[in-house]
Amino acid sequence: MNKPLYQFFTKDHRRIDELLDQATENPEEIQMEYYQQFRAGLLTHIKMEEKILFPAAQKANGGAPAPLAAKLRLDHGALTALMVPPPTPALIKVLRHVLDRHDLAEEEPGGMYDICETLTTNQTNELLEQLAHVSEVPVHPHHPADFALEAAKRALTRAGYDYDVIAQQIDL
């Protein structure tokens, strides 16, 4: 089956992942030029889902949100909050953890993209046209204050993640 919305969003996931990989090639010296591109790309991707894809699916579903929408919106809040503090190796580790799980919930068979694709099948071209014209989200400078990281940790908790536990996990 042809899935142009699925392809659009998963291709964008790979682009965003590549920017993060480039930014963190040397984890002890984050390449801020790439990290800024990653931040803008991630926030713009979230904007496309929240402002275009999810509302179109909800409208096509008789006004009822797709079953995964609430969880994904909590993830979006947590990911957005993680964009505020300056990047550290621990923050990057948590960010990758959340992105891996979040992207899987969107991309897996029966996931959010499949649901949206099915619900909006008669609107695909219109949605792709809207998505092509989404403006990039401007990013502000990082906020190094402790409260910025604490706010991100609270957003992660609401989404079902524990920043400190993830940050301390040993990579195998």
Side-chain angles (χ1 to χ4, degrees):
M1 175 163 107
N2 187 14
K3 297 182 176 186
L5 290 171
Y6 179 92
Q7 292 168 0
F8 175 89
F9 281 102
T10 56
K11 180 180 177 184
D12 201 40
H13 280 175
R14 301 298 87 73
R15 179 186 68 83
I16 292 165
D17 289 343
E18 178 61 29
L19 287 169
L20 183 57
D21 289 345
Q22 289 174 312
T24 60
E25 196 169 45
N26 175 358
E28 300 306 317
E29 187 179 326
I30 294 170
Q31 298 297 312
M32 293 307 291
E33 177 183 337
Y34 289 118
Y35 193 74
Q36 293 301 83
Q37 291 176 40
F38 162 76
R39 289 173 73 209
L42 178 62
L43 294 172
T44 302
H45 183 92
I46 290 170
K47 175 183 175 180
M48 290 188 292
E49 291 178 349
E50 292 288 346
K51 300 288 186 184
I52 296 172
L53 184 65
F54 293 2
Q58 182 170 337
K59 183 177 179 184
N61 199 31
L68 296 172
K71 168 61 174 140
L72 295 176
R73 285 191 162 123
L74 289 171
D75 284 0
H76 286 164
L79 290 165
T80 300
L82 285 170
M83 297 296 95
V84 177
T88 64
L91 186 137
I92 297 296
K93 184 175 187 177
V94 172
L95 186 56
R96 286 186 186 280
H97 178 90
V98 175
L99 281 171
D100 287 348
R101 278 142 190 83
H102 179 83
D103 290 355
L104 180 62
E106 291 177 333
E107 295 179 14
E108 68 186 346
M112 189 63 161
Y113 293 157
D114 274 354
I115 293 167
C116 290
E117 193 92 44
T118 300
L119 288 170
T120 64
T121 192
N122 296 327
Q123 304 169 356
T124 301
N125 290 336
E126 176 187 335
L127 292 173
L128 288 171
E129 182 68 21
Q130 290 176 34
L131 292 165
H133 291 92
V134 169
S135 60
E136 185 174 88
V137 173
V139 293
H140 297 283
H142 293 286
H143 204 306
D146 290 343
F147 70 80
L149 181 57
E150 292 306 316
K153 287 180 178 184
R154 288 191 302 276
L156 283 159
T157 299
R158 285 190 296 277
Y161 302 101
D162 186 316
Y163 181 99
D164 295 319
V165 168
I166 297 166
Q168 294 173 8
Q169 288 176 348
I170 298 172
D171 295 323
L172 300 177

